[in-house]
Amino acid sequence: MTTLRSEGWSVRPTFVPGGPTRDLSLWCDEAGLTQIGGDPVVAWQTPWLEIGALQLVRTSRSMSLMATIDAVRYCWRRGSLEDFEAWRDVVLAHGGVVTRQRRRAGVLAVVAIVLLASFGGAIASWFNRGSAKSAELASARAVNLTLEDLPGGWYVSPNPLLANLVPPSSQVIVATPTTLAPKAGTIYAEAENRFQSCLGVSARADRIYGAAGQQPDYQVSSNVYATTTLGGAEVATTTQYYPTTKMVRRDQAEMARANFGSCFATSSAAVVLSGFGLKVPANVSARNWRPATFLHGFARGGVAGLAIPGVATSLQLVTAVVVSGHFEVTVSGITSSWPKAESFFNGVVNTVLSRVTSPSATPA
């Protein structure tokens, strides 16, 4: 393998506190990967044996290189496709994954089907709705996680692993009269079938993915946040506001089933893995997680393993639903340090629960 030198990269997070984030050069050879930059210029060299979860993502005009080093998830981004084929060969040669970022419409279609929207299998239209029912939308936004809720060192992820599961924070789903069942053989249908088979509920009676579900007035997500701690964790929330509390109580009855958490985590894992061109294996490792809460309300969760071929780091997808009043909130996270990260995710659940149970979170 000859040395590949490439300039014009940025990185998040930094290798050291206060380190350079822009105008970086990346070199790679048989020994490893080297980042060069800063003033004065400093080089950080990492042997290939210490690099895991390599991923190269191509968009129409840029590319991103991601890798896990010492339990930290790094993302280098370059605003051009120069040398893409050379980097593709490098990533594949070291057991990594090369993907093309989906068009936004495709990602939104996934979210409309899979997130805990109770859409009855619908693909909802994504658009802004103006000032109508603005109090409901404002309430939904106010419930979501913000950067201020998180400890120091967290930041908005530029290219999150949760991208296939959590829609952009700038987008809003509103209820529409049209419903479309997912096509057989698609990831949408697979996620629905896995969930219903796991939970032991028919598509007709299922309120989470199936025909018995009802659409919320609004659904809106937070940004996806990331950190260098907790095994390079990510976290985000998606809030739905329903027109009646009766709808929410009916959904909650299905969520209260004993194995709901593990089944929902498994179906969500199917969506995350679809971004890597993978499917959830039949014997996926998933278990229930009961968040420790300190307020009146309902919260159920699950943890599922994310087995990606060629990726040395073992990842876990963490999901939880928080329910109260007009609100249903999905907490989504990724970590390689479960159960060490459990106390952190408990804190996120309690932050959300405090908002959905607060009178100020409900419009008059």
Side-chain angles (χ1 to χ4, degrees), residues 34-83:
T34 302
Q35 173 187 290
I36 301 172
D39 184 15
V41 175
V42 177
W44 289 268
Q45 184 177 43
T46 306
W48 289 117
L49 290 177
E50 298 179 13
I51 299 175
L54 269 175
Q55 182 186 4
L56 182 65
V57 180
R58 173 177 177 167
T59 66
S60 59
R61 298 180 180 179
S62 65
M63 58 179 169
S64 298
L65 176 68
M66 287 163 281
T68 299
I69 302 172
D70 194 22
V72 177
R73 188 69 173 169
Y74 294 96
C75 176
W76 292 270
R77 184 175 178 82
R78 191 183 192 197
S80 76
L81 293 174
E82 185 180 355
D83 297 330

Side-chain angles (χ1 to χ4, degrees), residues 17 94 155 187 208 260 334 345 363:
H94 290 88
Y155 56 91
I187 185 59
I208 307 306
F260 170 82
I334 285 181
F345 285 103

Side-chain angles (χ1 to χ4, degrees), residues 236-363:
T237 58
T238 299
T239 299
Q240 296 147 356
Y241 186 96
Y242 286 81
T244 71
T245 58
K246 186 176 182 179
M247 289 181 177
V248 175
R249 289 195 300 272
R250 287 177 173 175
D251 288 347
Q252 182 178 326
E254 183 169 329
M255 298 174 199
R257 295 195 180 197
N259 59 337
F260 170 82
S262 61
C263 296
F264 186 61
T266 299
S267 61
S268 299
V271 181
V272 174
L273 291 176
S274 71
F276 298 90
L278 303 171
K279 292 186 177 181
V280 175
N283 59 343
V284 62
S285 173
R287 57 192 179 279
N288 288 328
W289 168 50
R290 185 72 175 267
T293 57
F294 310 102
L295 297 169
H296 178 71
F298 179 92
R300 295 291 188 274
V303 181
L306 293 177
I308 302 175
V311 175
T313 305
S314 176
L315 301 175
Q316 296 85 42
L317 174 68
V318 182
T319 58
V321 293
V322 180
V323 175
S324 182
H326 291 266
F327 297 97
E328 296 180 14
V329 186
T330 302
V331 177
S332 303
I334 285 181
T335 180
S336 63
S337 295
W338 189 269
K340 180 181 178 181
E342 182 175 3
S343 61
F344 165 77
F345 285 103
N346 274 327
V348 171
V349 169
N350 278 280
T351 296
V352 171
L353 187 58
S354 69
R355 290 173 179 163
V356 298
T357 56
S358 170
S360 63
T362 306

